[in-house]
Amino acid sequence: MVIQFIPCLGCLPWAWKRCCRVGSDDSKHWPLTTLEEFEPVPRICRLILSVYEGDLSCPRFTPIAGYGINLGWIVKRVYYGQTLGRTPPYFIYTDHTNREIVLAIRGLNLGSASDYAIMLDNRSGMQMFDGGFVHHGFLKSAIWLLNQESETLKTLWSETGCSYKMVFAGHSLGSGVAALLTTVVVNHLNRFGGIPRSLIRCYAVAPARCMSINLAVKYADVINSVVLQDDFLPRTSTPLEDHFKTICCMPFFFFAVWMRDVYFSKRNLHDPRRLCPPGRLYHIVERQFCRCGRFPPEVRTACPVDWRFEQVILSCNASSDHEIIWIAREAQRALDLLVEAEGNLTVPPREQRLERNYALRVAQNDAMKTVSMDGLYVQPMPESTEADGNLISQTGALESPKSGLNSSGQTNWDVLYEEIFERNELGKLTLKETVLC
């Protein structure tokens, strides 16, 4: 009995640690993002959400603040029948307000066999690309999409004066395709008329693990991944094939993966074939440990080089945090808080501290105000060396001495200080008797 109890006792710390782990722990040491960095994210999320709409003139998701797009700016929209099963549906949109050309790709459709085929077309180390490893099915889909739309995107960029940003965005399945599409574009900029790398951006929302860690860091300047709290897809390295074989018993699958992660070894992180979420990570945090309900969201950001959401969180929100509608709403809330915080910041002084202190001294010497100190009122001497001797208020009896003036006729506060104060036996400063009488 004792022998059986000892192993159970040894597992308790591990089990307690895993039960207490929440989504916010993954990014607790990351710095908060800035308004400038996060500003495009809610807008891009709403554009991705538009791909899910059947009729854009009557959208179903109107509760989102600022939702809605200009139908006249939609260049092209492609549905399932037109993609031939090679890629999820997408649309191309020219945002003249923000000077962006956006290609947005929708996520997995549970009723589409072609989407499953794309996700399951992969094995560990199956596809090498640019010195690393990528998801084979996502890369094939990205190359097909690039071959179909490269001329359209190149023409749009030329017509807009070669100054608009080229933005690729996707959710879930679409995030992996968009991320690898971005890497292909960056390596073939000549196909877009020589567009600079600085004008290319990718936003992978609820990203799938689609590239090895070296590529994720290499393209962190152009690829941005957005994760909401406990989202399961960026966190598990389990092959996507296993996810969808168990789609009918997903809670049991989550629990099995969670139990496996109890004994997780960091040695697996050094496997060069291991796929991870791409680019720079933005983690939207809105729940805390042992605290009920949602709180004002905050966004933390980093580009980690070793640890990228490696453990599944045992949470009832693991699947709901993957939905694009929730990500869009919480991203908008987080942006509103950033805007509010930015407006409340104190504006830094235009002058340097030394220059400001010098200007204050000059102004103080030119027109000093009456100084009040424990009932003693001392009025500064005029700049003239021939000062009147009667500069005392009715409550005091101190006559400002001429020794309190320097050669320029201004008050010498050091001399005046010594004539007003003295130290007692205990070393404390007190007013002289001549001042108090």
Side-chain angles (χ1 to χ4, degrees), residues 152-182:
T152 302
L153 296 175
K154 179 180 177 180
T155 302
L156 288 174
W157 189 66
S158 300
E159 292 176 351
T160 55
C162 300
S163 60
Y164 280 30
K165 286 185 178 180
M166 192 78 68
V167 178
F168 304 103
H171 168 248
S172 188
L173 167 64
S175 68
V177 177
L180 294 186
L181 175 61
T182 304

Side-chain angles (χ1 to χ4, degrees), residues 21-180:
R21 185 175 181 85
V22 294
S24 59
D25 293 341
D26 291 312
S27 60
K28 61 182 178 181
H29 300 301
W30 296 2
L32 297 177
T33 187
T34 62
L35 175 61
E36 182 180 2
E37 290 179 332
F38 194 71
E39 187 273 333
V41 172
R43 181 177 70 252
I44 297 299
C45 288
R46 292 193 293 269
L47 287 176
I48 298 173
L49 191 59
S50 300
V51 190
Y52 287 83
E53 295 282 5
D55 185 4
L56 288 175
S57 59
C58 299
R60 295 174 295 166
F61 307 108
T62 51
I64 301 178
Y67 180 81
I69 61 175
N70 190 327
L71 299 181
W73 292 350
I74 298 178
V75 178
K76 186 177 183 180
R77 187 172 185 184
V78 179
Y79 298 91
Y80 271 109
Q82 299 167 293
T83 62
L84 306 177
R86 310 297 291 274
T87 190
Y90 60 91
F91 82 154
I92 300 175
Y93 181 79
T94 305
D95 188 348
H96 295 288
T97 302
N98 299 285
R99 301 176 65 83
E100 294 174 343
I101 301 171
V102 183
L103 192 156
I105 310 171
R106 67 158 289 162
L108 174 71
N109 183 354
L110 296 178
S112 172
S114 61
D115 286 357
Y116 287 107
I118 294 173
M119 297 199 74
L120 303 183
D121 184 13
N122 187 63
R123 293 191 310 272
S124 179
M126 179 179 180
Q127 181 66 57
M128 293 192 66
F129 177 81
D130 196 18
F133 294 89
V134 298
H135 189 285
H136 180 68
F138 291 165
L139 183 61
K140 285 175 56 179
S141 180
I143 293 175
W144 183 88
L145 183 56
L146 181 62
N147 290 332
Q148 294 294 314
E149 305 298 345
S150 59
E151 290 300 323
T152 302
L153 296 175
K154 179 180 177 180
T155 302
L156 288 174
W157 189 66
S158 300
E159 292 176 351
T160 55
C162 300
S163 60
Y164 280 30
K165 286 185 178 180
M166 192 78 68
V167 178
F168 304 103
H171 168 248
S172 188
L173 167 64
S175 68
V177 177
L180 294 186

